[in-house]
Amino acid sequence: SRCADVIIGDTDILKTAPDHMLRSGLGDMLAKFVSIAEWRIAHIITGEYYCEEVAQLIRTAVKKCVDNAQDLLKREDAAIEAVFEGLVIGGVAMAYAGVSRPASGVEHYFSHVWDMRGLEFGTKVDLHGIQCAMATCKAVELYEKVMAVKPDWEKANAYVQGFDLDAWNVQLRQFLGSSAETMIQLEKKEGKYRKDTHEARFQLIEKNWAAILQILKEELPKQEELCKLMDTVGISRDLQTIGVDRETARITFRATKDIRDKYVLSRLAWDLGILDELCAYL
């Protein structure tokens, strides 16, 4: 598709949006913390293209949103404009990069899975930005668990060798219905579960582990800071409020690694052999 020639955001009109839509706009911006971190990590592990200038566009936009978040529901011009401009800049950044990486990571995949279940089974869904904010909170929590881990080849290899793709595909079909078929077919092209290529990827992770941890420290907010910010604008951190119980959250996280051919948290956890451990925290 092509980019828009003109985007108009009249502040006086945007200020009349319902609170829930304002929260959703900010929620989508909060997701960018994770997307930039994962983009940098993918660059190390898979060699994926990364542009620091594009990433900095996003960081600057997110900071502006966060700095003005306390005034969002007061409908102060600066807060409203920060969110609108941030969302537009997210689109510009994706256009520059040619991929969705600058604006979307594992947290968006949580939301996509819930939307697919909503379409297939009529389960409860919320606005995209709300779901992304709640998933960002969970992703930051899980990344903090990852930061306490040391790569262990024997553990990772045992996990990968014991992984049953056929059994997982059965579970994916049960969980997502017809939506699962595209994801299953995509794996045939991706080969992310191939056991003969895992070791080389693990070696890259192990070799660059210090750099990966540094990226997470640089890019991600502390969980308590993110929770405080969400509380300030009234975004719930309880997935039950959008109809997602613990078991659904756990399977959702497992499914995020199958949405796109992008290296995200769930793929890193699979490579490290700690996917089950992280699921237990959800």
Side-chain angles (χ1 to χ4, degrees):
S1 62
R2 65 187 299 276
C3 293
D5 293 318
V6 177
I7 300 175
I8 300 173
D10 186 322
T11 305
D12 289 337
I13 294 175
L14 296 172
K15 286 165 66 174
T16 67
D19 287 356
H20 205 53
M21 289 183 70
L22 297 180
R23 295 186 185 105
S24 181
L26 177 63
D28 196 288
M29 289 304 298
L30 296 180
K32 282 35 172 178
F33 285 119
V34 175
S35 65
I36 297 300
E38 291 185 334
W39 195 15
R40 291 179 64 187
I41 291 171
H43 177 63
I44 290 174
I45 298 173
T46 68
E48 182 181 329
Y49 160 81
Y50 170 76
C51 178
E52 177 59 26
E53 290 185 36
V54 171
Q56 190 56 41
L57 281 175
I58 295 293
R59 294 190 194 99
T60 301
V62 172
K63 185 178 187 304
K64 191 174 180 181
C65 288
V66 170
D67 289 347
N68 289 279
Q70 71 278 0
D71 295 323
L72 184 64
L73 297 187
K74 297 176 186 176
R75 290 171 160 69
E76 295 290 341
D77 286 4
I80 297 291
E81 290 168 2
V83 171
F84 175 77
E85 290 173 2
L87 294 171
V88 173
I89 288 170
V92 171
M94 288 189 284
Y96 281 160
V99 290
S100 62
R101 272 294 190 186
S104 168
V106 72
E107 76 299 320
H108 269 64
Y109 294 172
F110 273 85
S111 182
H112 294 340
V113 168
W114 295 332
D115 287 344
M116 285 190 282
R117 281 179 54 78
L119 286 169
E120 187 78 19
F121 305 117
T123 52
K124 186 177 179 180
V125 294
D126 209 316
L127 295 181
H128 172 73
I130 298 296
Q131 294 183 163
C132 284
M134 297 176 81
T136 297
C137 188
K138 297 303 178 184
V140 168
E141 178 185 359
L142 295 181
Y143 267 121
E144 289 186 356
K145 304 299 182 185
V146 170
M147 292 173 73
V149 167
K150 183 178 181 181
D152 181 331
W153 166 245
E154 290 187 5
K155 180 177 183 178
N157 185 51
Y159 182 84
V160 168
Q161 293 301 322
F163 180 74
D164 187 335
L165 179 57
D166 290 335
W168 168 239
N169 286 342
V170 169
Q171 188 174 21
L172 203 57
R173 288 186 177 100
Q174 292 172 342
F175 189 62
L176 292 176
S178 59
S179 299
E181 295 307 322
T182 300
M183 297 158 70
I184 291 169
Q185 292 303 313
L186 184 62
E187 168 55 23
K188 294 179 180 179
K189 297 180 181 179
E190 293 176 2
K192 61 181 175 292
Y193 295 128
R194 283 178 53 185
K195 298 175 182 181
D196 61 327
T197 58
H198 170 246
E199 183 174 1
R201 206 163 50 244
F202 179 88
Q203 289 176 350
L204 271 175
I205 295 169
E206 187 173 42
K207 178 182 177 181
N208 293 282
W209 191 241
I212 291 170
L213 294 182
Q214 186 60 34
I215 288 170
L216 295 175
K217 290 176 183 177
E218 290 174 359
E219 301 292 354
L220 298 184
K222 297 291 185 182
Q223 188 189 6
E224 58 267 25
E225 295 172 356
L226 183 59
C227 290
K228 183 178 179 181
L229 181 58
M230 290 173 64
D231 290 344
T232 297
V233 296
I235 300 176
S236 175
R237 291 179 276 117
D238 182 4
L239 295 181
Q240 298 273 7
T241 61
I242 58 170
V244 177
D245 58 28
R246 297 190 71 177
E247 184 58 26
T248 299
R250 290 167 179 166
I251 303 177
T252 296
F253 179 51
R254 293 180 187 278
T256 58
K257 63 190 185 318
D258 295 89
I259 296 286
R260 296 278 191 278
D261 186 13
K262 281 165 59 174
Y263 201 84
V264 295
L265 171 57
S266 47
R267 292 198 181 186
L268 176 64
W270 190 87
D271 280 341
L272 289 169
I274 61 171
L275 185 61
D276 294 343
E277 294 173 32
L278 292 190
C279 284
Y281 291 109
L282 290 168

